[in-house]
């Protein structure tokens, strides 16, 4: 399966910004869809955003719409999550995910491989 290496997490004050990166270091299959999920303490893993390169479409959770943007750099084989106007409720471990399918789905079971997770903490 693909290897996904995440970076960019950290501590930021409310209203600030962070950018997460997810580099695809191994690619036994073409990750046509990439996504970001997050999991806060005591909560289920939550969909954040996804992009399907082949379909040219994106899918964003209502909770982050207008604040978070998913993007990709084909030359670096990397996807990003630009997080602006961060809120304390955004605090979670953020996971990058990849799928061989072409639709930007919100269900975790849709994805084949996962990154190690990056802690994002937003202070009030």
């Amino acid at each position: 399966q693909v290897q996904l290496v995440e970076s960019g997490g950290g501590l930021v004050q409310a209203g600030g910004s962070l950018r997460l990166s997810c580099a695809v270091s191994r690619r036994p299959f073409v990750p046509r869809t990439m996504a970001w999920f997050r999991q806060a303490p005591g909560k289920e893993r939550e969909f954040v955003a996804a992009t399907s390169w082949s379909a040219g479409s994106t899918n964003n959770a209502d909770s982050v719409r207008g604040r978070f943007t998913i993007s990709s750099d084909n030359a670096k084989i990397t996807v990003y999550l630009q997080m602006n106007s961060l809120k304390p409720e955004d605090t979670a471990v953020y996971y990058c995910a990849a799928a061989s399918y072409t639709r930007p789905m919100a269900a975790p079971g849709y994805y084949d491989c996962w990154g190690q997770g990056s802690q994002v903490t937003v202070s009030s």
Side-chain angles (χ1 to χ4, degrees), residues 2-69:
V2 299
Q3 286 186 289
L4 306 176
V5 181
E6 300 180 31
S7 62
L11 174 66
V12 66
Q13 290 187 307
S17 299
L18 284 174
R19 187 177 74 163
L20 301 180
S21 298
C22 178
V24 181
S25 60
R26 292 189 63 184
R27 193 159 61 94
F29 68 92
V30 179
R32 294 182 173 86
T33 300
M34 301 289 290
W36 290 95
F37 291 77
R38 67 186 182 185
Q39 188 166 16
K43 296 185 178 181
E44 297 293 315
R45 190 161 296 189
E46 176 190 17
F47 172 76
V48 176
T51 182
S52 179
W53 299 330
S54 61
S57 60
T58 59
N59 187 9
N60 301 95
D62 291 340
S63 60
V64 304
R65 199 181 310 276
R67 299 188 299 120
F68 292 9
T69 302

